[in-house]
Structure formats: structure tokens, C-alpha cells
Amino acid sequence: MSAESPTDTRHPTGTPRERREPREPQGGPPPGVLAVVFTALFLAALVLGTLLAGGDPFPSPFGDGGEIVAYFRAHTDAVRVSGALQFAASIPLAVYAATVSARLHRLGVRAPGATIALAGGLLAAGFLACCGLVSWTLSRPEVLELPALTRALQYLAFATGGPGHVVTLGLLVAGIAVPGLLAGLLPRALAVTGLALAAVAELATLTLLFDGAALLLPLARFTCLGWLIAAGFLLPRRRTRKEH
């Protein structure tokens, strides 16, 4: 007969069971690196598209219809590569939004900011992916045989990759900047700058009403890209006591 009680919880060696410490939740890929990859792919789409087109810039949808159709017919490879890279850029952007949203929740943010960042980032990624796919469609010879269809698709590419992408990108920035400011998760200057950039991005909605407002698109787009990179590297993995 064993001398051990039936309720004895010790190991056969007589040593008590060791309690395992709860593992820290996985943080996912570094958001700063994701922002760099997204920005690099997006810029590559612009630069390579221009180089493959012999230096000719992508035509404005507000230009002459004949010249626009002629550009797409003459530079199908440039349009195809640019569209493919824009589509590729949408993937790290979506992952960035998911990662940052999860990190904000883990840092104790219970306000809507984390969800707004996720929604804005996924919408921005979706619009950019749509723009890339429409641009790829504009590289198909059978599509270019129909000038009216070419113009319609270019308008769609502009709407999705322009105001559609930029306005929702501003929503992503705002969703990070607000809790970053209120909870002290980001340097105050960076958070305030993010709020200002988000406001400019939202004003880019006016592009749908006034052609001249299209100047807001590159201003908001490229400044927001730089801000997302900085925020991705500076957003902490865990809160310190000073932040409570």
C-alpha cells in the first residue's frame, strides 16, 4: 500500500507542480517594418511605372480623352506593373492595420480608436487593391479598343486610389493618433501632427466635388505614409507605469 494520500497533487518524485506563467500575447509583425514595406511597394509602383513609360507621367483623369487613351495604348507594360505593385502594397497595409489595432487593445485602449484604425486601414487597403486591379485591367489590349470604357476605368482607378484610399488612410492615422495622444502612447508632437494630417486627408473628399482639390491628395498621402512609419516604430509593445 502506498503511503501517499489519494488527493496528493505532488509528482511521483515528491516535488510540487510548477505553475506556468501565462505567456505574453503575440505582438505580430513589427508595424514599423510593415509600413516601410507598404510605402516601398507603393513608391515602386509610381517610380517603375514612370520609368517603363519612358518618363511620361500617369495621365490625369481630367485631361484630354484622346491623349489619355493614347498613353494607355503606348505604355501597357508600365500600367500593368504599376497596377500589380499597387495591389501588392495593399497587403502589408491591411496587416499593419490589424497589427496596430490589436496592439492598441493590448495596451488597454477601450475607446473606439483601435476599431477606427482597423476599419480605416482595411478600407484604405481595399481601395488601393481595387485601384491596382483596375489599373491592371487598363493594360489589356481588348479594353483599350473601347475609348469610352478606358476613360470610365481610369475614373474608377482615380476614385479608388485617390480620394477613396487617401480619405480612409486618414481614418487609420486618426484612429492611432487619438489614443496615442490621450493615453500617452505616442510622443505628443507626433500625435498632434497625426491629427492634423488626418484632417487634411478627410478634406481630400472635396476632390469628388472640385477638380482643384486634387492637390490635397499627394499632400495628405505622402505625409500620412511618413507618419505611419514613425508611429509604427514608436508605438510601444506594452504600457509602462508612467502611462497609467
Side-chain angles (χ1 to χ4, degrees):
M1 296 289 294
S2 172
E4 290 184 323
S5 169
T7 59
D8 196 342
T9 59
R10 295 181 300 172
H11 287 289
T13 58
T15 58
R17 294 181 183 271
E18 295 181 357
R19 294 183 178 180
R20 294 182 178 180
E21 295 294 333
R23 293 182 179 180
E24 182 180 354
Q26 295 182 356
V33 174
L34 290 170
V36 169
V37 173
F38 157 58
T39 302
L41 288 171
F42 183 81
L43 293 178
L46 300 180
V47 173
L48 286 179
T50 303
L51 291 177
L52 291 174
D56 293 338
F58 197 84
S60 167
F62 311 118
D64 178 74
E67 294 180 357
I68 290 174
V69 174
Y71 173 89
F72 286 115
R73 288 176 176 174
H75 305 300
T76 55
D77 289 340
V79 176
R80 183 181 301 112
V81 170
S82 178
L85 288 173
Q86 286 187 27
F87 176 79
S90 69
I91 306 304
L93 176 57
V95 179
Y96 178 97
T99 302
V100 167
S101 176
R103 181 171 294 190
L104 289 174
H105 281 299
R106 193 166 59 253
L107 289 170
V109 176
R110 296 294 178 262
T115 305
I116 291 174
L118 177 61
L122 293 181
L123 284 171
F127 278 122
L128 185 60
C130 182
C131 176
L133 294 175
V134 172
S135 297
W136 176 87
T137 305
L138 281 167
S139 70
R140 308 307 300 175
E142 55 271 27
V143 172
L144 300 176
E145 293 178 358
L146 303 172
L149 178 59
T150 300
R151 289 302 307 276
L153 289 175
Q154 191 202 11
Y155 277 124
L156 181 58
F158 172 78
T160 54
H165 173 67
V166 170
V167 172
T168 52
L169 194 68
L171 199 62
L172 169 62
V173 170
I176 302 172
V178 171
L181 177 64
L182 298 180
L185 301 175
L186 292 174
R188 182 178 179 83
L190 180 66
V192 172
T193 301
L195 293 177
L197 297 181
V200 175
E202 301 313 302
L203 287 175
T205 304
L206 295 173
T207 305
L208 299 174
L209 301 176
F210 310 102
D211 295 350
L215 293 175
L216 293 172
L217 294 175
L219 173 62
R221 187 195 307 275
F222 294 110
T223 52
C224 283
L225 291 181
W227 191 91
L228 289 173
I229 293 174
F233 282 112
L234 294 177
L235 191 67
R237 295 180 63 89
R238 60 183 64 85
R239 300 189 71 165
T240 62
R241 293 182 178 180
K242 292 182 179 181
E243 291 169 347
H244 287 287

